[in-house]
Amino acid sequence: MAIWFARSRNITHFLRTKISPFEIIVNQRCSNYSFFHANSSFKTMAGESYSRKVTELCMDKSSAAILAFRRPESAIAGGQIEAVPYTTDDDEDDENQAMEFPGGKVGFTLEMNFISESPGKRIPCYRVLDDDGYPLAGSRFEQVDEETAVRMYKSMVTLQIMDTIFYEAQRQGRISFYLTSMGEEAINIATAAALTSDDIIVPQYREPGILLWRGFTLEEFANQLFGTKKDIGKGRQMPIHYGSNEHNYFTVSSPLATQLPQAAGIAYSLKMDNKEACVVAFTGDGATSEGDFHAGMNFAAVMDAPVMFICRNNGWAISTPTSEQFRSDGVVVKGQAYGIRSIRVDGNDTLAVYSAIRAAREMIIREQKPILVEALTYRVGHHSTSDDSTKYRPLNEIEHWKTARSPLAIFRKWVQRNGWWTDKEEIELRGSIRKQVLDAIQAAEKTEKCSLEDMFTDVYDRLPSNLQEQEKSLRETVKRHKQDFPTDVPV
């Protein structure tokens, strides 16, 4: 170290630069441009002349510097790779400019500067449609054909009606618990449409729309909520904790963020098996305060796991607003700290979510790297049937997001303006879906419940003695106190 300090006068070379302000701007433009335009097959509605200029400037730069998506070679775990030295035309002895450190060379500066806790300007949010359903001038997005667009809209309507009726069923005492996705329908359905059926979903609890898109029926939803013998989970999970092997949808787990490190591990297994698929893991803004969020992000980054983390930043973690949840600029900035490419998207803009998820998936599959997506949205409904959000949120705020920023209303305007949807079809669809949900509820209520025996099966090949004793004890207790146990559960 004495040698370093004795020769520190040469560090002043770092203050010399030959990069003009214009070149800095180009570098920034190229960095932003490469995310959606160089790494995915996007079409444009406007702004071609601007894009061409940026493209020409970007192409003058080294493609490795602009488009490559990989860590510095010296940072690759387990590798002893020589770092590329920092040089200028006036540098004669590079050893004076930086020190060797695990992960690569670190440059010196004579200025004692602390990194600001805030960049000053918030990360912008990718958007395609305005609140009236018109594409913004110059917006670039993945084109959606009529069949896909109509199916997406129908699925959003179905999810909304399903949530409304099941929520009312809980209020009537017919099921014990429910949780809606109201206000977040675009994140559910647009994400599902942008993925393939081979992609594995690791949900939090507000993503039933993905199951709906993949073919999970209204009857299957009802059987899970009512715990019937037709429930795939055999009544072992509380309501809304769906799961389906057939649809590559891991069962919902109540503890927050525990699914994120698991998602990174699942994704790494896909990578080891050379599967052309990725894992998509969901979380809310509140769960980013859990240690598992950070463990999952770091694991995925270090292991180059093909996983997409989607954070539904809906403004509230039950009654805790984001202003009390973190001091950072939301969640998107956390990705860079772990070396993960990130984007912020308008979660109420169906086309923006669809385009962003499609682009993210392409990059993950092609480059085998994780990506973080922060979707800004708003939880219009209560957190669950155990919550009354009017106690901590103003009614006018809820009403604004429910009407002016409704993802269904915005997307419907765009679909209808294209001539793909009519008011008559809207009325017919809503009436039909409502009847189907009510029929599914009535059928579930008439279906026999799961047997008491199902509480003890499907874990061990042979039931161990301690569980045999517990089952015997439970049956004897039920017989002695029949009045305290439900009569519709087979013993």
Side-chain angles (χ1 to χ4, degrees):
M1 291 303 294
I3 296 175
W4 287 110
F5 285 110
R7 302 171 66 180
S8 63
R9 59 184 178 81
N10 289 321
I11 297 176
T12 56
H13 285 294
F14 259 103
L15 301 179
R16 301 175 184 173
T17 177
K18 292 190 176 183
I19 302 177
S20 70
F22 178 74
E23 290 174 330
I24 295 174
I25 293 174
V26 170
N27 288 336
Q28 293 173 343
R29 294 293 189 190
C30 291
S31 177
N32 294 333
Y33 179 85
S34 65
F35 186 88
F36 276 106
H37 314 321
N39 288 306
S40 60
S41 56
F42 277 82
K43 291 81 178 176
T44 181
M45 297 294 292
E48 287 293 347
S49 58
Y50 169 80
S51 301
R52 273 199 301 272
K53 291 178 182 178
V54 175
T55 304
E56 292 168 0
L57 291 171
C58 290
M59 291 307 102
D60 289 339
K61 309 295 290 182
S62 167
S63 60
I66 297 172
L67 304 179
F69 182 17
R70 53 178 176 271
R71 293 194 304 265
E73 291 183 322
S74 57
I76 298 176
Q80 299 295 326
I81 301 176
E82 182 179 356
V84 179
Y86 173 89
T87 60
T88 69
D89 292 343
D90 296 330
D91 290 334
E92 296 178 357
D93 190 351
D94 296 320
E95 291 183 353
N96 297 331
Q97 313 307 316
M99 67 174 175
E100 291 286 357
F101 195 79
K105 284 191 175 182
V106 178
F108 291 117
T109 178
L110 299 180
E111 299 293 332
M112 185 173 64
N113 292 324
F114 292 85
I115 299 175
S116 173
E117 71 280 8
S118 172
K121 186 176 180 180
R122 300 197 68 180
I123 301 296
C125 181
Y126 171 62
R127 193 183 193 192
V128 174
L129 300 176
D130 63 18
D131 290 348
D132 292 320
Y134 287 99
L136 298 169
S139 60
R140 301 178 69 93
F141 60 93
E142 187 74 22
Q143 296 296 323
V144 181
D145 60 38
E146 178 180 354
E147 181 181 359
T148 304
V150 171
R151 183 187 171 193
M152 289 168 68
Y153 180 69
K154 285 183 176 180
S155 298
M156 293 169 70
V157 171
T158 302
L159 179 59
Q160 183 188 66
I161 295 174
M162 181 182 83
D163 273 346
T164 300
I165 297 178
F166 283 143
Y167 186 90
E168 292 172 351
Q170 192 282 332
R171 287 300 190 232
Q172 295 167 0
R174 300 162 82 174
I175 56 177
S176 61
F177 178 80
Y178 195 70
L179 182 152
T180 74
S181 303
M182 294 179 179
E184 303 179 33
E185 295 89 351
I187 297 175
N188 270 252
I189 302 304
T191 296
L195 301 174
T196 72
S197 59
D198 292 329
D199 296 325
I200 298 174
I201 306 300
V202 183
Q204 186 177 30
Y205 44 60
R206 218 178 291 275
E207 299 84 26
I210 298 179
L211 264 181
L212 184 67
W213 178 269
R214 291 189 171 188
F216 206 71
T217 67
L218 294 174
E219 290 75 18
E220 287 177 305
F221 281 113
N223 284 323
Q224 197 283 329
L225 295 172
F226 284 85
T228 75
K229 67 178 184 180
K230 293 182 178 180
D231 171 31
I232 297 173
K234 298 185 178 181
R236 294 167 180 149
Q237 292 283 352
M238 64 183 290
I240 68 91
H241 286 53
Y242 311 111
S244 173
N245 286 337
E246 178 186 354
H247 300 101
N248 279 330
Y249 191 98
F250 270 64
T251 301
V252 173
S253 177
S254 289
L256 293 178
T258 56
Q259 73 275 14
L260 302 183
Q262 297 167 4
I266 298 167
Y268 190 67
S269 72
L270 293 179
K271 184 172 186 171
M272 293 177 66
D273 293 338
N274 296 315
K275 295 291 183 64
E276 193 170 329
C278 68
V279 174
V280 180
F282 287 86
T283 187
D285 47 277
T288 63
S289 293
E290 295 286 339
D292 279 341
F293 170 80
H294 303 279
M297 293 276 285
N298 194 50
F299 182 18
V302 172
M303 303 306 293
D304 293 333
V307 56
M308 186 188 312
F309 296 106
I310 300 180
C311 176
R312 299 173 293 92
N313 185 348
N314 61 24
W316 296 88
I318 307 183
S319 60
T320 304
T322 53
S323 59
E324 297 178 15
Q325 191 69 241
F326 36 66
R327 283 290 179 266
S328 62
D329 177 15
V331 178
V332 67
V333 295
K334 300 179 189 294
Q336 190 175 32
Y338 292 104
I340 295 178
R341 184 178 291 181
S342 311
I343 185 173
R344 170 175 283 165
V345 61
D346 182 353
N348 287 28
D349 180 347
T350 306
L351 288 184
V353 175
Y354 177 79
S355 299
I357 300 303
R358 285 262 299 193
R361 184 187 183 277
E362 286 179 11
M363 286 183 282
I364 291 171
I365 298 298
R366 182 176 65 247
E367 304 173 25
Q368 294 293 289
K369 304 283 184 176
I371 284 181
L372 170 65
V373 178
E374 179 187 24
L376 299 185
T377 183
Y378 191 83
R379 193 194 76 218
V380 170
H382 305 298
H383 173 76
S384 70
T385 48
S386 303
D387 174 48
D388 180 3
S389 63
T390 62
K391 300 296 184 182
Y392 53 83
R393 300 192 298 184
L395 288 173
N396 60 346
E397 176 182 297
I398 299 174
E399 189 62 24
H400 168 74
W401 284 89
K402 188 176 181 179
T403 54
R405 293 286 291 125
S406 166
L408 274 86
I410 295 171
F411 192 54
R412 177 187 174 182
K413 291 174 184 176
W414 181 79
V415 174
Q416 203 156 347
R417 196 171 289 117
N418 282 321
W420 300 339
W421 195 247
T422 65
D423 292 342
K424 180 182 178 181
E425 290 174 308
E426 181 78 14
I427 295 172
E428 292 176 350
L429 173 66
R430 289 185 175 275
S432 174
I433 297 301
R434 180 175 179 81
K435 183 180 183 303
Q436 291 177 48
V437 176
L438 292 174
D439 289 346
I441 290 177
Q442 292 175 0
E445 287 182 317
K446 296 176 182 178
T447 303
E448 185 179 359
K449 301 294 184 183
C450 294
S451 171
L452 196 67
E453 180 183 5
D454 291 328
M455 293 179 62
F456 301 92
T457 58
D458 296 336
V459 176
Y460 297 96
D461 180 35
R462 295 182 179 179
L463 203 64
S465 59
N466 64 317
L467 289 184
Q468 292 178 18
E469 293 174 4
Q470 290 179 27
E471 182 179 1
K472 180 181 178 181
S473 175
L474 178 58
R475 291 182 183 279
E476 292 174 349
T477 301
V478 172
K479 290 180 180 179
R480 289 197 305 268
H481 306 280
K482 290 184 178 180
Q483 71 279 5
D484 297 325
F485 290 87
T487 59
D488 57 350
V489 176
V491 178

